[in-house]
């Protein structure tokens, strides 16, 4: 009787060990598969949400809400983006000025009747890498400065249009920036088949800045538009009546590097 | 007398037990490998010296890692990976992340006194409407959201813009990838928050090595290390392996020899106890006084075993069964030849080691204290615990020593026959004159303290190509009685020297060559002007009020701001508030209670140093400091003064001999260490060994050891002069035994990877060997003298 009990106990134990081993193996496999899905999703979602073109024009509207001002600060303008060279961010309302974020990491500002200002400081470097990373849908570039999370959107649709099903959430990696910046959310909004990329920046001092980028005009597929970047930039400059030197700076920022920071 | 020594012994043991019990869990007690203590005093002025020490301590706490890769894309990811992993180490701060916040907090109360040059121009020349327009412009900008101050508190973002100017110009934190000769790279700077223990140092270095390997495999990126930390860590590693080598091998050799000769565990216990008590007492005293022990102290200290063991050996060899020890009631310890010899031996060793404390190197002073404490405690242990051993328990199996000594004696007897103390003295005088005429070569470079590994030196040289930093060992020191005086001196100097200077509206001058607090923070006068200038912003109906009206904000906000402005009228920002270690910034400014102010001006690498030095000579309150040259000069001075001190030590011992023996003939004992010293110098000359301060310091110990041997021979020969021909073989055996143990310790020290320890060990290895032979010769000559005296006495009797 005792022997039988022992043998039963042994068999049960053996069965349990085998079961545990198999379940562990399957669990690991499932987890690896799940991770692959997640990784794939991140790249896909970024590609879905962000512009696909390497060269485009777009419009933007900005709404900045601060705790201390009773009204939102609204501004708007145009942007010219070339994934190899950088970005010209032209604010037209309520003030006219160009901000040039270049790929080598040298940034400038052009204000009417003011000398060219070289932008220095971590906040400019960070903003430049954020905008260039988002506009070129470069996950690696974004991840070099931010932790990237994908979250499902709360609103899949309402009377003003349809929102993308996912939201990208970014939190800064740099400890200094983390002390100023809470998070950045990126999502896409569709209204009457018109795409709008919405970037929401939440700062520690309770400011929320929303940037709406729409009217994205891909410059590559159009036969009528010139392919040359110089010509394209000049066309853009003429169109929005801003500084021609912005194109020169974008093309060769090193020439302007000797300029001292003017702030 | 014995009662006193026992009381001292009990007190000493109580101190050790109390100290260990109290500090057993004290993590603050640590072993240090800081290189600051190896720097000689460079300035006679206490404030200046303190400032230099603080700066060099700060330099030691900073290190840089250059990450380079042929693939530009990999740099940022590699840098982030490196930073994220290195950041897990709680002892370091990466890229001054914490310092920016502390600078902001320190500066904020002085915001009405601070303006950048551009801000001054704007407030002075721009109309209010223009300033309001610019402020509104800024308000709409996205980057404005990152500012630290709220809009209501700093509507024109005056403080925020000043901080941006300050950080952008001087403390750029963003280590973004750059291009230099088409090679993409990034620099990570790190600051070590506090002194690291050897273990923590090693862990940090291992982490960096591991991360370096990971970057290579994962990102195809390599790292270059730059900073004193890596050299200190390497030196610590070498010192640690030296300590292990010296203590294990010399202990094993000594234990083996003791067991071979005495064949008794009881007799092993006394030397073992004396070594333990000596080392424990020396360690406790050092920890008690300084809170740490430098590794180099331990390296030197571990060689003490060879000296400490001598007391037990002499005790065993000279404790005579037929000669009673002085009773505990006896007041005159000197009545026993053994005690007298032991006491003289202690005095000479202490004189030898305390000479190190005359040096102006902190480390040598600490070594002197450690050694003297260790020697004294061991000596006291032998004298106290030795009473527990009965003379009958001491049996010696040292026939090998007797044979060796006989052999050496035979070899030396032919010399002894032709020699007298007088002729010996004359020969030594001749050698001394020759050496004075043609002295051995010297080397006083502070770089000889440690052997820096070639790989680290190469990395350091390569890092310079990427990190255009400031000269680490060459700078200007400006001094004055007032802050304004230093600012004025700084401007005068720059006006005369720099051609690329930029004069600002407040009189301050910028220069690309120098970095100093004066270029970063406004002078007291400029601060007053800045405050006055900002009146335009905060006064009633001023810019702030107009701006708030424009934005439909209540006017009470501008009233509150104006009140704040008025209450802060008397503030003055002092540079030491920013440039101190608590902000993780280099301590470039310091002051003392007598209002003596000192500021450093760092010089950019590649500048015309000679021109800077020449210009500085025109100003009495500006000193050009070349730490390497000054250290070399200071070490040379110490080497020279140590030779004078050695002469003084000889004179003191001569005086001691005259006082004790009251006969000038006994000065002949000095011939033993004198021969060792002079012949060691001859060996150095012949083999072209460059003499350093550490070689010179070794000569003091040669004097101590030589006197030890001489005194024992003298005392014991006196005891046994009824049978002089027996030549007191016990004494000679004890001396041979002692020489072997000493050579074991110092011979191993001569193999050290630390050049300073090696120099000391080599000097003692050669010197003490000569000491031994000189002692034998002395014994032979002494016997010859006694024999001839006895003969004369016998002839007289006949």
């Amino acid at each position: 009787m005792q022997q039988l009990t022992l043998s039963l106990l042994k068999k049960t134990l053996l069965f349990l060990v085998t079961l545990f081993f198999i379940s562990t193996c399957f669990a690991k496999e499932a987890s690896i598969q799940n991770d692959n899905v997640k990784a794939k999703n991140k790249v896909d979602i970024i590609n879905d949400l962000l512009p696909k073109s390497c060269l485009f024009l777009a419009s933007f509207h900005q709404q900045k809400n601060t705790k201390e001002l009773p009204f939102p600060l609204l501004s708007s303008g145009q942007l010219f983006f070339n994934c190899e060279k950088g970005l010209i961010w032209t604010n037209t309302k309520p003030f006219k000025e160009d901000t040039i974020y270049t790929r080598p990491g040298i940034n400038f500002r052009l204000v009417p009747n003011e000398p060219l200002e070289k932008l220095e400081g971590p906040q400019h470097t960070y903003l430049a890498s954020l905008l260039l990373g988002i506009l070129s849908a470069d996950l690696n570039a974004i991840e070099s400065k931010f932790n990237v999370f994908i979250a499902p959107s709360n609103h899949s649709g309402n009377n003003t249009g349809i929102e993308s099903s996912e939201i990208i959430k970014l939190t800064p990696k740099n400890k200094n920036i983390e002390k100023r910046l809470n998070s950045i959310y990126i999502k896409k909004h569709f209204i009457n088949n018109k795409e709008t990329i919405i970037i929401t920046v939440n700062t520690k001092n309770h400011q929320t800045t929303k940037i709406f980028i729409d009217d994205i005009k891909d410059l590559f597929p159009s036969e009528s538009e010139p392919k040359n970047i110089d010509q394209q930039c000049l066309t853009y400059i003429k169109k929005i009546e801003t500084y021609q030197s912005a194109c020169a700076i974008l093309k060769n920022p090193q020439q302007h590097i000797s300029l001292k920071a003017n702030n | 007398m014995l009662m006193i020594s026992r009381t001292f012994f009990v007190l000493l043991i109580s101190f050790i037990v109390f100290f260990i019990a109290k500090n057993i869990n004290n993590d603050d007690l640590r072993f240090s490998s800081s290189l600051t203590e190896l720097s000689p005093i460079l300035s006679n002025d206490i404030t200046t010296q303190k400032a230099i020490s603080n700066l060099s301590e700060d330099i030691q706490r900073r290190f840089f890692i250059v990450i380079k890769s042929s693939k530009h894309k990999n740099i940022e990811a590699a840098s982030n990976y490196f930073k994220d992993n290195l950041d897990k180490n709680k002892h370091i701060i990466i890229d001054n992340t914490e310092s920016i916040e502390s600078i902001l907090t320190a500066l904020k109360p002085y915001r009405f006194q601070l303006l950048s040059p551009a801000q001054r121009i704007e407030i002075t020349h721009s109309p209010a409407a223009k300033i309001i327009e610019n402020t509104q412009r800024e308000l709409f900008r996205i980057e404005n959201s990152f500012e630290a101050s709220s809009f209501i508190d700093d509507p024109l973002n005056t403080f925020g813009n000043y901080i941006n100017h300050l950080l952008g110009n001087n403390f750029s934190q963003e280590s973004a990838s750059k291009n230099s000769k088409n090679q993409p790279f990034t620099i990570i700077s790190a600051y070590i928050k506090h002194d690291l223990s050897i273990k923590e140092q090693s862990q940090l270095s291992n982490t960096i090595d591991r991360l370096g390997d990971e970057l290579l495999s994962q990102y195809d990126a390599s790292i270059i290390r730059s900073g004193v930390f890596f050299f200190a860590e390497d030196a610590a590693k070498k010192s640690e392996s030296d300590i292990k080598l010296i203590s294990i091998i010399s202990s094993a050799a000594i234990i083996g020899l003791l067991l071979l000769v005495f064949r008794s565990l009881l007799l092993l216990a006394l030397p073992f106890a004396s070594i333990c008590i000596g080392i424990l007492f020396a360690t406790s005293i050092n920890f008690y006084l300084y809170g740490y022990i430098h590794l180099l102290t331990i390296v030197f200290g571990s060689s003490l075993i060879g000296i400490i063991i001598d007391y037990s050996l002499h005790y065993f060899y000279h404790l005579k069964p037929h000669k009673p020890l002085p009773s505990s009631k006896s007041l005159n310890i000197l009545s026993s030849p053994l005690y007298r010899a032991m006491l003289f031996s202690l005095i000479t060793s202490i004189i030898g080691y305390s000479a190190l404390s005359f040096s102006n190197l902190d480390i040598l002073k600490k070594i002197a204290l450690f050694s003297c404490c260790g020697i004294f405690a061991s000596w006291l242990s032998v004298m106290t615990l030795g009473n527990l051993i009965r003379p009958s328990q001491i049996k010696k199996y040292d026939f090998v020593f007797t044979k060796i000594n006989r052999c050496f004696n035979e070899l030396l007897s032919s010399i002894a026959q032709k020699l007298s103390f007088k002729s010996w003295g004359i020969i030594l005088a001749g050698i001394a004159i020759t050496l004075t005429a043609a002295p051995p070569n010297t080397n006083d470079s502070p770089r000889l303290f440690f052997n820096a590994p070639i790989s680290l030196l190469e990395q350091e040289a390569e890092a310079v190509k990427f990190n255009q930093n400031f000269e680490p060992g060459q700078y200007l020191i400006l001094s004055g009685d007032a802050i304004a005086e230093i600012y004025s001196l700084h401007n005068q100097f720059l006006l005369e020297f720099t051609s690329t200077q930029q004069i600002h509206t407040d009189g301050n001058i910028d220069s690309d060559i120098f970095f100093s607090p004066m270029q970063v923070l406004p002078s007291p006068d400029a601060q007053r002007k800045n405050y006055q200038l900002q009146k335009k912003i905060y006064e009633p109906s001023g810019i702030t009020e107009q701006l708030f009206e424009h934005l439909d904000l209540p006017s009470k906000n501008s009233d509150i701001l104006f009140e704040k402005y008025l209450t802060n009228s008397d503030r003055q920002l002092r540079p030491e508030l920013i440039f101190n270690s608590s902000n993780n910034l280099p301590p470039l400014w310091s002051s003392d209670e007598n209002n003596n102010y000192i500021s450093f001006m760092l010089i950019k690498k590649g500048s015309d140093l000679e021109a800077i030095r020449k210009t500085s000579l025109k100003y009495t309150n500006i000193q050009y400091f070349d730490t390497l040259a000054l250290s070399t000069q200071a070490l040379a001075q110490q080497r020279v003064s140590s030779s004078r001190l050695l002469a003084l030590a000889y004179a003191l011992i001569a005086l001691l001999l005259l006082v004790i023996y009251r006969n000038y003939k006994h000065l002949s004992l000095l011939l033993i260490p004198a021969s060792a010293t002079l012949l060691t110098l001859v060996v150095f000359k012949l083999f072209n060994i460059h003499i350093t301060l550490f070689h010179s310091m070794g000569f003091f110990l040669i004097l101590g050891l030589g006197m030890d041997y001489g005194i024992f021979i003298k005392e014991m020969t006196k005891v046994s002069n009824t049978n002089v021909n027996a030549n007191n073989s016990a004494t000679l055996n004890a001396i041979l035994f002692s020489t072997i143990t000493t050579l074991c310790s110092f011979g191993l020290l001569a193999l050290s990877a630390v050049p300073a320890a090696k120099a000391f060990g080599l000097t003692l290895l050669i010197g003490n060997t000569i000491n031994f032979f000189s002692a034998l010769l002395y014994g032979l000559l002494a016997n010859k003298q006694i024999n001839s005296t006895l003969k004369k006495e016998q002839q007289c009797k006949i």
Side-chain angles (χ1 to χ4, degrees):
Chain A
M1 184 64 187
Q2 208 178 0
Q3 267 190 341
L4 187 72
T5 320
L6 265 171
S7 145
L8 261 173
L9 199 69
K10 271 184 188 171
K11 278 177 185 170
T12 317
L13 263 171
L14 196 70
F15 173 73
L16 284 174
V17 168
T18 318
L19 196 70
F20 174 74
F21 179 73
I22 293 167
S23 64
T24 315
C25 288
F26 272 107
K28 268 191 180 171
E29 206 169 296
S31 149
I32 292 164
Q33 279 177 356
N34 206 16
D35 283 351
N36 284 340
V37 169
K38 271 184 195 168
K40 197 180 166 188
N41 275 350
K42 214 187 250 184
V43 177
D44 287 349
I45 291 162
I46 295 268
N47 284 334
D48 280 352
L49 287 181
L50 303 177
K52 290 168 191 67
S53 174
C54 189
L55 189 66
F56 61 84
L57 300 174
S59 302
F60 72 84
H61 301 270
Q62 188 182 293
Q63 181 184 322
K64 193 170 164 186
N65 291 299
T66 64
K67 197 177 68 175
E68 293 141 329
L69 294 175
F71 48 86
L73 296 161
L74 300 171
S75 57
S76 60
Q78 302 270 314
L79 64 94
F80 173 84
F81 178 74
N82 178 291
C83 59
E84 283 170 9
K85 295 287 175 188
L87 167 73
I88 301 173
W89 185 273
T90 309
N91 208 92
T92 48
K93 279 177 187 172
F95 299 101
K96 197 167 184 309
E97 63 183 30
D98 285 322
T99 311
I100 302 124
Y101 300 109
T102 69
R103 274 290 176 202
I106 312 158
N107 310 310
F108 299 90
R109 179 169 288 132
L110 275 164
V111 175
N113 308 317
E114 297 282 337
L116 176 69
E117 182 186 357
K118 186 179 164 221
L119 303 176
E120 282 181 330
Q123 76 274 36
H124 295 293
T125 322
Y126 235 73
L127 189 62
S129 61
L130 172 76
L131 290 173
L132 294 178
I134 290 173
L135 295 177
S136 55
D138 184 349
L139 181 61
N140 285 339
I142 299 170
E143 279 191 322
S144 71
K145 293 249 185 308
F146 296 92
N147 301 304
V148 181
F149 306 96
I150 306 288
S153 169
N154 290 333
H155 311 285
S156 57
N158 55 30
N159 55 359
T160 57
I162 305 163
E163 267 187 17
S164 55
S165 55
E166 284 94 10
I167 294 177
I168 303 167
K169 184 189 172 186
L170 308 178
T171 56
K173 282 183 173 176
N174 182 302
K175 282 185 180 176
N176 283 325
I177 298 291
E178 202 184 11
K179 281 171 186 154
R180 306 269 176 272
L181 176 67
N182 263 343
S183 55
I184 295 162
Y185 289 93
I186 307 162
K187 62 182 177 182
K188 213 178 216 179
H189 204 136
F190 301 90
I191 310 167
N192 301 328
N193 286 336
K194 191 179 153 192
E195 283 182 5
T196 305
I197 297 167
I198 305 168
I199 303 167
T200 310
V201 180
N202 297 313
T203 58
K204 292 274 181 192
N205 56 7
H206 308 289
Q207 285 192 15
T208 303
T209 308
K210 277 190 176 184
I211 305 165
F212 303 82
I213 299 172
D214 52 21
D215 277 342
I216 298 171
K217 192 182 174 195
D218 192 345
L219 295 178
F220 263 130
S222 165
E223 287 299 320
S224 59
E225 295 286 348
K227 295 279 186 296
N228 183 298
I229 183 211
D230 294 340
Q231 286 173 347
Q232 281 165 348
C233 192
L234 287 171
T235 313
Y236 165 76
I237 295 292
K238 275 179 198 164
K239 204 166 165 182
I240 57 163
E241 294 173 345
T242 190
Y243 302 101
Q244 284 203 5
S245 52
C247 285
I249 294 166
L250 190 68
K251 193 183 169 192
N252 196 354
Q254 306 286 354
Q255 269 184 359
H256 301 80
I257 204 164
S258 58
L259 282 160
K260 281 258 173 193
N262 205 22
N263 56 341
Chain B
M1 197 70 187
L2 274 178
M3 205 57 203
I4 297 169
S5 76
R6 279 174 192 164
T7 317
F8 262 114
F9 184 69
V10 171
L11 284 174
L12 192 142
I13 295 291
S14 310
F15 174 78
I16 295 172
V17 172
F18 177 73
F19 187 82
I20 293 174
K22 201 185 164 199
N23 296 293
I24 194 134
N25 291 320
N26 187 352
D27 292 336
D28 291 339
L29 299 183
R30 62 199 161 74
F31 293 101
S32 157
S33 60
S34 160
L35 302 182
T36 316
E37 291 187 36
L38 307 181
S39 315
I41 293 167
L42 300 180
S43 171
N44 294 327
D45 180 57
I46 298 167
T47 314
T48 311
Q49 181 57 39
K50 205 176 150 192
I52 293 170
S53 301
N54 285 343
L55 184 65
S56 59
E57 183 104 25
D58 186 85
I59 289 169
Q60 282 186 47
R61 288 196 176 184
R62 292 175 196 280
F63 68 85
F64 300 92
I65 301 287
V66 181
I67 298 177
K68 55 173 188 159
S69 171
S70 51
K71 295 170 187 165
H72 195 282
K73 272 188 172 179
N74 288 2
I75 290 285
E76 193 132 23
S79 163
N80 280 332
Y81 181 80
F82 197 94
K83 274 191 214 175
D84 287 348
N85 281 283
L86 197 62
D87 206 23
K88 288 173 190 160
N89 189 310
K90 60 181 182 204
H91 307 297
I92 56 168
I93 303 165
I94 296 172
D95 289 343
N96 289 344
T97 41
E98 287 171 29
S99 64
I100 292 182
E101 280 308 302
S102 65
I103 293 170
L104 262 172
T105 316
L107 287 178
K108 200 157 187 186
Y110 304 90
R111 64 184 176 117
F112 296 111
Q113 277 75 23
L114 302 170
L115 286 174
S116 71
Q119 284 175 314
R120 269 193 297 273
I121 292 169
E122 190 184 14
I123 297 170
T124 314
H125 301 294
S126 299
K130 179 74 186 161
I131 295 174
I132 292 169
E133 190 202 310
N134 285 347
T135 307
Q136 282 180 295
R137 232 176 230 286
E138 204 166 305
L139 211 53
F140 282 90
R141 287 173 187 155
I142 182 171
E143 69 263 23
N144 175 259
S145 315
F146 297 103
E147 297 305 341
S149 306
S150 70
F151 173 73
I152 293 293
D153 193 43
D154 188 11
L156 268 65
N157 198 24
T158 319
F159 182 61
N161 284 335
Y162 175 78
I163 291 294
N164 286 341
H165 151 80
L166 196 68
L167 298 182
N169 278 1
N170 304 298
F171 312 105
S172 186
Q173 301 308 306
E174 194 61 25
S175 52
S177 308
K178 298 163 192 171
N179 277 308
S180 164
K181 292 176 189 170
N182 295 326
Q183 195 173 28
F185 73 96
T186 187
I187 296 169
I188 296 171
S189 65
Y191 180 79
I192 302 166
K193 287 184 201 169
H194 52 85
D195 279 351
L196 298 183
S197 69
I198 309 299
K199 197 180 163 192
E200 288 162 350
Q201 262 188 6
S202 172
Q203 279 171 347
L204 177 58
S205 175
N206 290 342
T207 308
I208 293 168
D209 289 347
R210 178 179 56 80
L211 289 174
D213 293 342
E214 286 171 10
L215 289 200
L216 198 62
S217 61
Q218 293 175 28
Y219 300 97
D220 196 17
S222 59
I223 62 166
I224 305 166
R225 298 158 186 80
S226 169
V228 184
F229 163 76
F230 298 105
F231 292 91
E233 198 269 331
D234 178 77
K237 254 189 218 162
K238 283 177 183 163
S239 302
E240 230 177 354
S241 68
D242 274 358
I243 292 165
K244 278 183 196 157
L245 181 86
I246 296 164
S247 50
I248 293 172
I249 299 183
S250 62
S251 303
I254 289 166
I255 290 170
L257 276 169
L258 283 169
L259 283 174
L260 266 174
V261 173
F262 296 110
R263 300 180 192 181
S264 155
L265 285 175
L266 178 75
L267 297 189
L268 187 66
L270 181 68
F272 186 73
S274 75
I275 290 172
C276 288
I277 292 168
I279 301 287
L280 277 175
F281 182 65
T283 311
S284 306
I285 285 280
N286 267 262
F287 272 138
Y288 176 73
L289 291 177
Y290 307 113
Y292 67 93
I293 296 187
H294 199 280
L295 268 190
L296 211 57
T297 310
I298 307 280
V299 175
F300 277 78
S302 56
S303 65
L304 265 187
I305 298 170
I307 308 260
I308 289 171
I309 199 78
D310 286 4
Y311 301 125
S312 303
L313 292 179
H314 288 306
Y315 196 86
F316 293 154
Y317 268 93
H318 300 116
L319 191 64
K320 302 288 174 195
H322 56 278
K323 290 270 172 187
L325 288 167
S327 71
S328 54
K329 285 176 190 168
S330 168
L331 283 170
N332 190 5
I333 198 171
L334 298 177
S335 63
S336 157
L338 169 63
Y339 276 37
R340 193 166 51 214
M342 292 286 274
L343 187 66
F344 290 167
S345 167
L346 172 75
I347 293 170
T348 50
S349 297
I350 287 200
I351 288 176
Y353 270 115
S354 15
L356 301 183
S357 64
F358 288 102
S359 146
N360 73 11
L361 284 182
D362 261 3
I363 187 69
L364 282 182
K365 287 178 184 167
K366 280 169 188 159
I367 290 171
L369 179 77
F370 186 94
S371 307
C372 288
C373 289
I375 286 172
F376 176 70
S378 302
W379 181 86
L380 203 60
S381 315
V382 172
M383 299 308 280
T384 316
L385 300 176
N387 281 313
L388 301 172
I389 298 167
R390 288 193 306 278
S392 59
Q393 287 172 311
I394 303 168
K395 285 183 182 129
K396 296 173 288 254
Y397 302 88
D398 58 352
F399 51 90
V400 180
F401 288 169
T402 316
K403 272 188 182 173
I404 295 172
N405 271 329
R406 201 173 292 153
C407 191
F408 285 145
N409 266 330
E410 276 169 21
L411 278 171
L412 290 170
S413 58
S414 54
I415 302 172
Q417 275 170 4
K418 293 168 196 161
L419 203 71
S420 67
F421 285 126
K422 207 183 234 175
S423 54
W424 190 0
I426 291 167
I427 292 168
L428 289 185
I431 295 172
I433 292 164
T434 318
L435 282 171
T436 317
N441 292 322
T442 55
N443 190 340
D444 300 305
S445 167
R447 284 179 179 147
L448 282 172
F449 279 112
F450 282 109
N451 252 345
I454 295 166
S455 67
L456 275 183
L457 289 172
E458 281 173 354
Q459 287 189 66
E460 200 64 45
E462 203 185 345
V464 173
K465 293 176 199 163
F466 295 92
N467 191 10
Q468 288 300 318
N469 221 314
F470 298 94
E471 290 285 346
Q474 299 192 51
Y475 40 74
L476 292 168
I477 293 184
L478 282 65
S479 52
D481 300 332
I483 299 176
E485 196 182 323
I486 304 240
Y487 272 82
S488 146
L489 200 62
H490 169 257
N491 286 350
Q492 280 175 43
F493 178 83
L494 284 191
L495 272 174
E496 176 148 359
F497 180 75
T498 327
S499 53
T500 55
Q501 74 258 17
Q502 187 185 340
I503 304 170
H504 296 305
T505 46
D506 65 343
N508 262 16
I509 302 169
D510 258 356
S511 165
D512 295 335
I513 300 172
F514 302 100
F515 178 77
S516 68
M518 290 74 80
Q519 279 169 259
V520 178
L521 301 173
S523 66
D525 188 44
Q527 287 183 41
R528 274 191 293 277
K529 282 181 186 162
N530 287 342
Y531 180 83
Q532 285 304 322
L533 218 53
Q534 291 188 65
K535 195 180 173 198
K536 193 175 163 185
I537 300 172
Y538 300 106
E539 68 187 351
S541 309
I543 297 170
T544 307
E545 202 175 307
Q546 289 176 49
L547 177 71
F548 284 174
E549 262 175 33
H550 203 79
L551 296 170
D552 286 336
L553 290 170
S555 62
K556 67 167 187 185
N557 290 320
S558 56
D559 296 343
I560 295 168
L561 264 177
F562 183 55
E563 213 171 297
K564 268 191 193 173
Y565 170 78
L566 289 178
T567 49
N568 283 293
S569 61
D570 295 331
R571 282 191 178 273
Q572 190 200 314
L573 173 65
R574 298 166 77 87
E576 64 258 40
L577 205 75
I578 304 300
F579 286 95
N580 63 44
S581 316
S582 63
N583 287 326
N584 307 323
L585 287 180
L588 296 179
W589 185 281
S590 70
S591 58
D592 63 13
E593 62 280 2
N594 300 324
N595 285 336
N596 292 318
Y597 296 93
I598 278 171
S599 176
F600 290 91
M601 270 173 84
L602 302 183
I603 305 164
K604 207 163 195 177
K605 277 178 184 165
S607 306
D608 186 351
L609 298 171
E610 189 48 30
I612 294 169
R613 195 188 64 79
K614 275 185 183 164
T615 313
S616 73
L617 292 174
K618 294 177 188 169
Y619 299 87
T620 47
N621 284 348
I622 299 180
Q623 285 170 278
Y624 180 87
F625 263 78
D626 179 351
T627 45
L628 182 66
L630 282 171
S631 299
T632 308
Q633 204 182 326
L635 289 173
Q637 270 172 6
Q638 280 183 57
R639 193 180 39 72
V640 172
S641 68
S642 78
S643 47
R644 284 182 199 137
L645 273 172
L646 186 68
L648 184 71
Y650 270 89
L652 280 174
I653 288 177
L655 197 69
L656 191 75
L657 290 171
L658 284 175
V659 169
I660 292 163
Y661 295 113
R662 294 168 198 279
N663 185 344
Y664 77 94
K665 282 184 181 171
H666 292 109
L667 290 179
S668 57
L669 276 172
L670 283 168
L671 290 171
I672 300 170
S675 305
T677 304
L678 290 169
L679 291 176
T680 306
L681 284 171
V682 170
V683 173
F684 286 167
K685 174 81 190 163
L686 290 175
F687 289 93
N688 197 25
I689 295 167
H690 288 61
I691 297 178
T692 66
L693 175 68
F694 288 93
H695 289 102
S696 308
M697 290 302 172
F699 290 122
F700 286 91
L701 212 60
I702 288 179
L703 168 64
L705 286 165
M707 287 310 296
D708 262 15
Y709 299 162
I711 285 164
F712 271 98
I713 287 184
K714 169 122 212 86
E715 288 298 323
M716 297 309 145
T717 312
K718 219 159 69 176
V719 172
S720 60
N721 65 5
T722 47
N723 183 15
V724 280
N725 287 332
N727 203 13
N728 203 350
S729 78
T731 307
L732 294 182
N733 285 358
I735 288 172
L736 178 61
F737 201 157
S738 155
T739 308
I740 294 170
T741 54
T742 313
L743 294 184
C744 262
S745 305
F746 292 114
L748 288 166
L749 202 61
L751 296 175
S752 168
V754 182
K758 191 177 180 168
F760 193 72
L762 187 70
T763 311
L764 280 153
L765 181 73
I766 302 168
N768 207 40
T769 311
I770 302 168
N771 259 339
F772 170 71
F773 288 107
S774 305
L776 288 186
L777 190 64
Y778 177 87
L780 288 170
L781 288 178
N783 282 340
K784 193 171 115 181
Q785 212 171 37
I786 292 166
N787 281 334
S788 67
T789 318
L790 283 174
K791 265 183 197 170
K792 273 180 194 168
E793 279 174 10
Q794 278 169 356
Q795 278 170 358
C796 285
K797 276 179 194 171
I798 293 163

